[in-house]
């Protein structure tokens, strides 16, 4: 994020249906001018691609159907954070 840092902590898988993986992860967002980070959680759905020969799994097409923060953030800010995470 150009004006700060978004940290996504280790995701916790919740379900796997074929190649569709769903889970959640803790997240922190710290604007460059803020004194402290804002913490929350994201829920994700993604396609899990596994190369069995190399034993490497890759997450593709990550979508964030739900995002919540401990502090009240406006919907515009939450939308920006969601887009940044999905794109990165």
């Amino acid at each position: 994020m150009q004006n700060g840092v978004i940290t996504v902590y280790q995701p916790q898988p919740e379900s796997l249906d074929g190649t569709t993986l769903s889970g959640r992860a803790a997240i922190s967002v710290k604007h460059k001018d803020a004194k402290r980070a804002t913490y929350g959680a994201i829920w994700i759905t993604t396609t899990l691609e596994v190369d069995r020969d190399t034993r490497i799994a890759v997450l593709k097409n990550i979508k964030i159907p739900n995002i919540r923060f401990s502090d009240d953030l406006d919907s515009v800010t939450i939308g920006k954070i969601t887009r940044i995470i999905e794109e990165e």
Side-chain angles (χ1 to χ4, degrees):
M1 189 166 104
Q2 195 172 22
N3 294 320
V5 176
I6 298 174
T7 303
V8 178
Y9 299 95
Q10 183 173 346
Q12 302 298 312
E14 293 180 334
S15 68
L16 180 61
D17 183 14
T19 60
T20 301
L21 175 66
S22 297
R24 61 189 160 153
I27 182 175
S28 68
V29 178
K30 185 172 186 306
H31 191 273
K32 69 178 181 179
D33 298 329
K35 293 184 180 186
R36 63 181 180 85
T38 299
Y39 293 90
I42 59 171
W43 283 259
I44 62 169
T45 58
T46 184
T47 302
L48 178 66
E49 293 184 1
V50 179
D51 183 333
R52 296 190 188 281
D53 293 332
T54 61
R55 295 184 168 192
I56 294 176
V58 177
L59 302 178
K60 300 271 183 156
N61 305 318
I62 297 172
K63 298 295 176 201
I64 302 172
N66 194 7
I67 186 168
R68 292 194 184 153
F69 286 94
S70 57
D71 294 342
D72 291 329
L73 295 180
D74 59 83
S75 61
V76 173
T77 302
I78 290 174
K80 287 179 184 177
I81 293 167
T82 299
R83 280 190 301 281
I84 290 169
I85 295 170
E86 287 177 343
E87 290 171 4
E88 294 298 321

